[in-house]
Amino acid sequence: MARAGPSRTQRSQKAPQPSQSQSQRPVRGSRRAPVEEEEEEENSGDDDDQGMDINGSQARLAESDADVELDRKASDLVRFALFMEQRRTLIRREDINKKVLGSNSRLFNSVLERAQKLLKKTFAMELVELQSRNYREQDNVVAGDDLQEARNATGVKKKTAAAGSKTYILRSVLDPIIIEEAARTDERLYEEQIADCQEDGDDDDDMPRSYGCIISWSTADQVGALGVLHVILAIILASGRSMTDLELRAHLKRLGLSSNESISMNTQSTHKSLPIDTYLGQLMKQGYIDRIKLGDTKAAGGKRGRAPAATQANQDENQAFEWHWGHRSYSEIGEQAIATFVAEFMVERNRDNDGEDDDDDGKAARDRGKGRARAGDGGGDKKVKNVYGAIERAAGGNLSDVK
């Protein structure tokens, strides 16, 4: 009897069995998914690296552009400072922001730092911020140790004035010894300059004066005007750091500089001469001297008097004002330099007077040049110190160096 096969329902329920070849063949898509995920991860990693490279290059490019812009602003500041200094005009921070920085006023410190490096490396100069008058006067008052100790003991605190005035000037950073040697007269160089001038046959009025030194004073500065400035500063310093307008004019008159006299200028100036009143007004604008109204409570706050006018020679008005050093003189010249200048000049002058009868001694004194008192035995240095000490006592206290 034949075996009965599975029923139709059993055949339909029985799952088909794969063949041997089919069981060994990998199932499609079983391993492709992980591979595609790995490829996508690698591609995404490459995209991230490319994005980082692009961002890094853009950052470097932006930083490079910022450096170029800072260098350009620094060069503009140097050019602006040199132009203003040639006219002896004070450099104000608001002018720097307006004419150099524009809308980038926040970059002032960065631009100033780069400009300082460029000035020192190329021109041996630096930008110096002038001290405010309030701070300078407060500093002179607080210089007394007893007063300061008393304030500390009682706990009284005095409001400190701002040190900076947001006003700048250009000042040389050359060593004073280098400047002194460059200004020293050399006899051989002096003779060669005189011979060259005679061969050229130039007119005496247009011919620059020969000094026989490396520095060309005739074409660089107004030597006569600078000499008058130093004399004025010396008179004010030796008068206790201030003097009335009437006293100053009396001293100038003794030197042959009355109100109707003029100061000669060289060919570099637009004027061949300036009246003394005009010159005093110019010194005020340049910051070398100040003219303050006596009895004015705001004078300590920095209020200046008007520039002197030739038509206002009334004695009562002259007595109502007094002259002081300007903040530029403190930062550019200094009290110690003026006192040394006066002391050396007086000692050298006395030495020349003592040696008038002896030509050799007179020539030896002139060869020292520019009023420098240098005696081999040290006697000249001692005399200079004595005169310097007398000027310091007349000024009313310790003399300050450039600030």
Side-chain angles (χ1 to χ4, degrees), residues 367-386:
D367 289 343
R368 278 185 289 269
K370 297 284 183 180
R372 296 293 178 184
R374 286 187 175 86
D377 56 356
D381 293 337
K382 184 176 181 180
K383 292 180 179 179
V384 169
K385 291 180 180 179
N386 293 336

Side-chain angles (χ1 to χ4, degrees), residues 221-228 257 261-267 269 271-276 279:
D221 282 312
Q222 306 293 338
V223 181
L226 284 176
V228 174
L257 292 174
E261 295 293 335
S262 299
I263 300 176
S264 300
M265 300 289 176
N266 62 17
T267 56
S269 176
H271 304 281
K272 291 185 177 181
S273 62
L274 287 177
I276 185 64
Y279 180 63

Side-chain angles (χ1 to χ4, degrees), residues 3-291:
R3 181 181 298 178
S7 63
R8 179 177 298 178
T9 57
Q10 291 177 346
R11 287 197 304 268
S12 61
Q13 293 177 357
K14 188 176 182 179
Q17 298 295 327
S19 63
Q20 185 176 1
S21 61
Q22 290 177 345
S23 62
Q24 295 178 356
R25 183 180 302 172
V27 180
R28 292 183 180 181
S30 61
R31 294 184 180 179
R32 182 177 299 272
V35 173
E36 291 178 354
E37 290 179 358
E38 293 178 358
E39 291 178 354
E40 290 178 358
E41 291 178 357
E42 293 178 357
N43 293 333
S44 63
D46 295 339
D47 294 340
D48 294 339
D49 294 339
Q50 292 177 0
M52 293 178 61
D53 293 339
I54 294 175
N55 294 333
S57 61
Q58 290 178 350
R60 289 191 296 271
L61 182 60
E63 184 178 357
S64 177
D65 293 341
D67 290 339
V68 172
E69 182 66 14
L70 285 176
D71 291 338
R72 187 180 68 82
K73 293 292 184 182
S75 300
D76 293 341
L77 177 55
V78 170
R79 189 180 301 109
F80 177 71
L82 292 173
F83 173 77
M84 298 292 283
E85 178 61 24
Q86 195 272 337
R87 301 165 55 188
R88 286 294 194 274
T89 304
L90 298 178
I91 306 169
R92 306 187 186 279
R93 179 166 178 173
E94 57 184 13
D95 294 333
I96 296 176
N97 293 336
K98 180 179 179 181
K99 300 180 180 180
V100 177
L101 300 180
S103 60
N104 300 321
S105 58
R106 294 183 178 179
L107 299 176
F108 177 82
N109 292 332
S110 300
V111 173
L112 178 62
E113 182 180 359
R114 299 199 178 198
Q116 292 282 43
K117 294 180 180 179
L118 184 58
L119 282 169
K120 291 179 181 179
K121 181 179 180 180
T122 308
F123 301 99
M125 304 186 78
E126 64 177 351
L127 277 168
V128 180
E129 185 177 9
L130 302 179
Q131 289 184 347
S132 64
R133 182 187 300 172
N134 287 345
Y135 179 82
R136 188 174 64 247
E137 293 179 354
Q138 187 182 72
D139 187 42
N140 293 334
V141 173
V142 179
D145 295 336
D146 296 337
L147 179 61
Q148 187 65 23
E149 290 178 359
R151 285 176 180 167
N152 294 336
T154 58
V156 177
K157 294 183 179 180
K158 182 176 178 62
K159 184 178 180 180
T160 304
S165 62
K166 295 184 179 180
T167 305
Y168 299 82
I169 62 170
L170 274 181
R171 187 173 66 187
S172 174
V173 296
L174 288 177
D175 192 288
I177 297 178
I178 298 178
I179 300 177
E180 181 179 347
E181 293 298 327
R184 188 179 300 280
T185 300
D186 183 85
E187 292 295 336
R188 185 176 59 180
L189 181 59
Y190 178 77
E191 293 175 358
E192 292 180 357
Q193 289 179 350
I194 294 296
D196 292 340
C197 293
Q198 292 177 352
E199 292 178 0
D200 295 338
D202 295 334
D203 190 4
D204 293 340
D205 295 337
D206 299 332
M207 183 177 61
R209 183 177 176 181
S210 301
Y211 291 91
C213 58
I214 298 176
I215 299 178
S216 179
W217 294 108
S218 298
T219 57
D221 282 312
Q222 306 293 338
V223 181
L226 284 176
V228 174
L229 168 62
H230 280 65
V231 171
I232 292 174
L233 294 177
I235 294 174
I236 296 175
L237 180 63
S239 300
R241 293 188 172 97
S242 66
M243 65 187 315
T244 63
D245 187 70
L246 186 62
E247 292 173 344
L248 176 61
R249 293 181 183 279
H251 283 290
L252 293 178
K253 187 175 181 180
R254 295 191 188 99
L255 297 174
L257 292 174
S258 57
S259 299
N260 56 353
E261 295 293 335
S262 299
I263 300 176
S264 300
M265 300 289 176
N266 62 17
T267 56
Q268 301 296 318
S269 176
T270 56
H271 304 281
K272 291 185 177 181
S273 62
L274 287 177
I276 185 64
D277 289 327
T278 304
Y279 180 63
L280 291 176
Q282 185 182 72
L283 293 179
M284 288 179 57
K285 293 179 180 179
Q286 294 173 348
Y288 287 107
I289 55 177
D290 282 339
R291 188 171 183 254

